Structures are given as C-alpha cells and as structure tokens.
Amino acid sequence: MFGLFSRVRGPVVCDDRLSHIAFIMDGNGRWARKRGLPREAGHARGARNLYRVMDACRARNVRIVTVYAFSTENWKRPQKEVDEIMKLLTSYLQSAYEDREKNETHVRVIGDTAALPEETQAMIDRLDRETAQYERVLNIALNYGGRQEIVHAVNTAIAAGKTTLTEQDISDALYTAPLPEPDLIIRTGGEMRLSNYLMWQSAYTELAFTKTLWPDFGAAELDEILKDFYKRHRRFGGL
Ligand code: FPP
C-alpha cells in the first residue's frame, strides 16, 4: 500500500518505498579525538551505536540494513586500530548470535571473507545459517570493496560458464543478491562521497549526508532523513 508515511508523533514508519537503508558509519576517530580519547574508543562507541540504530530501524519497519564496517582499504590503518575493529566485529557477531531469537534478523557478512581468520569465518557461516529464516536482514560489509565485489561477481558468472554477461547476471552474483538495491545511503561524518561502497547497487539510490559523527547519530536524525526521503520523487531514469 503506497501512502504517506504514517507519523502520528513518534517514529516515521516506512512503507514499501523504503525497504533498504545502507549506512557509511564515518566519524568514529574524530568523535574520539574531540574527547582526547584514542581512536579505538571511537570505534567502540560506534559499535555500540549500531545496536541503537538497528533498534531505530526495526521500530521504523526498515526491512534491510547494510553497514560499512571495514573496507578492503582499511587494512592500511595502524595494526592496533585494525585489531580493535576486528575485536568489536567479532563481539558484535557473537551477541547477534546470542540474541538471534529476540532480534529476528538474518545477519549476513558481505565482502571477501576468505581473508578473515578461520574461526571468524565459521562464526559468520553459523550466524548466517541459523538466522536465514528471518525476513529482516542486516548485511555487515567486512573486507568489502564495491569494485572488488563487481570483479568477484563477473568471475563467478564466468566460472558458471557464461561468456557474455547481462546486467542481471552481474546483479545475481553480487554479495547482496538476491536483496533489492538500497533505496537510501546515509553517510555520517561530513564527507560527501561513496568510498567504493555498493558501487553497482547504488545506481539509483538516494543519498543523504550528515556532519553528525557516527557515534552521535540517532533516531531523531534518522527521522529527519526519512521525512526528506519521502519528499523526493524517484524517477529511475524515467519522467
Ligand atoms: C569510519 O570512521 C569507521 C570505520 C572505518 C569502522 C567502522 C567500525 C565500527 C562502527 C565498529 C565496528 C563495527 C561493527 C559492525 C560492530 P573513521 O575511523 O574513518 O573516523 P574518522 O573519519 O573520524 O577518522
């Protein structure tokens, strides 16, 4: 049913025009620096904020959320910072597993997981398998790069015997398949770029940028962005 989003004081409740939101969770390091804390403290607050934002998305009927947790380029950061982000990720995966019946969310990891430690890969597979029955989805982009994903999709299609590819062949072989493309990408932290995120899937995605640093991003600002989204006229190349 297409109608205006319902807002009778309280959260914006999304309808089927908005089923998928992707976040670029930027600004953890600056959040920490402003407080004289090490960058790792910013990532810890950022990880904590993801629980809050997931609750807000659930309350707003957003079916699919994708978050950019670690890019293929993030390995260039100091080892201490990489280790801390990985620790936060595994602890997030662990609590997502423990809370799977409460959250009723299919948690998947998208990206080149083959580069991760074997026990992390096993954890990811188990979580994916044992939450696969849920309609609500959280994609965590980990060791993810949008161009790498396209190359991987092309190679997957070639390995399956294709010699000439269609757009559909590539879409079907993306890490995010068979999910719909994001309707909205929200980037916190003030930068106005996509940083190799969901390059194929974002062809017609609406974009929202906020200066708010990720650990400070919350439900009230999400509602403002959702209200703005619903004012936009998406044409998908048509009139
Ligand atoms: C960008 O902020 C953030 C990252 C590269 C990592 C995001 C990681 C988390 C939110 C924590 C772990 C994730 C999960 C899913 C539990 P930045 O470090 O580039 O910030 P800056 O631009 O202020 O330096």
Side-chain angles (χ1 to χ4, degrees):
M1 174 71 186
F2 286 82
L4 278 181
F5 54 85
S6 55
R7 182 175 166 82
V8 191
R9 247 183 265 128
V12 173
V13 179
C14 297
D15 59 22
D16 49 9
R17 283 172 292 173
L18 206 177
S19 62
H20 185 175
I21 303 182
F23 290 95
I24 301 180
M25 308 182 286
D26 198 11
N28 295 340
R30 277 164 285 162
W31 184 93
R33 200 174 57 226
K34 272 170 60 180
R35 288 160 179 80
L37 298 168
R39 293 178 57 79
E40 292 75 26
H43 293 311
R45 276 304 277 256
R48 190 161 10 133
N49 196 45
L50 181 55
Y51 293 98
R52 211 164 65 116
V53 171
M54 283 306 292
D55 286 344
C57 287
R58 201 170 296 123
R60 283 153 186 78
N61 196 35
V62 179
R63 187 170 78 81
I64 307 162
V65 173
T66 301
V67 294
Y68 207 175
F70 195 85
S71 77
T72 44
E73 284 70 42
N74 285 151
W75 298 107
K76 294 179 206 150
R77 295 190 177 205
Q79 192 58 44
K80 183 164 167 264
E81 183 170 341
V82 170
D83 289 346
E84 181 59 24
I85 296 177
M86 289 299 160
K87 223 167 78 191
L88 289 164
L89 276 161
T90 42
S91 119
Y92 192 91
L93 295 171
Q94 185 60 41
S95 60
Y97 184 76
E98 284 159 15
D99 294 342
R100 64 194 183 283
E101 286 173 13
K102 174 166 78 79
N103 292 337
E104 299 186 320
T105 302
H106 181 192
V107 183
R108 320 156 82 218
V109 169
I110 59 169
D112 182 10
T113 51
L116 301 172
E118 268 176 30
E119 61 274 26
T120 310
Q121 291 185 44
M123 202 173 186
I124 289 167
D125 290 345
R126 186 180 63 161
L127 181 57
D128 184 338
R129 217 177 33 247
E130 294 193 28
T131 57
Q133 72 271 30
Y134 299 119
E135 211 199 322
R136 200 178 295 127
V137 180
L138 168 63
N139 295 307
I140 301 177
L142 178 49
N143 196 22
Y144 174 89
R147 289 182 179 174
Q148 184 276 334
E149 179 183 33
I150 296 169
V151 171
H152 177 266
V154 170
N155 286 330
T156 304
I158 291 171
K162 306 250 178 187
T163 47
T164 309
L165 301 186
T166 63
E167 288 192 13
Q168 193 61 48
D169 290 327
I170 295 180
S171 294
D172 290 346
L174 295 173
Y175 295 129
T176 50
L179 300 172
E181 292 168 2
D183 301 296
L184 175 63
I185 293 180
I186 300 175
R187 180 173 189 147
T188 61
E191 308 289 355
M192 292 173 79
R193 55 177 172 258
L194 288 179
S195 301
N196 202 15
Y197 191 41
L198 304 171
M199 289 286 88
W200 182 274
Q201 299 90 327
S202 60
Y204 291 103
T205 301
E206 297 294 323
L207 307 176
F209 299 97
T210 168
K211 289 191 170 129
T212 303
L213 306 176
W214 172 254
D216 293 328
F217 183 82
E221 195 168 5
L222 177 61
D223 277 338
E224 291 312 308
I225 292 172
L226 294 178
K227 279 193 274 179
D228 180 68
F229 171 88
Y230 276 105
K231 285 187 202 140
R232 300 187 194 185
H233 180 212
R234 301 184 74 194
R235 292 193 294 275
F236 298 97
L239 292 178

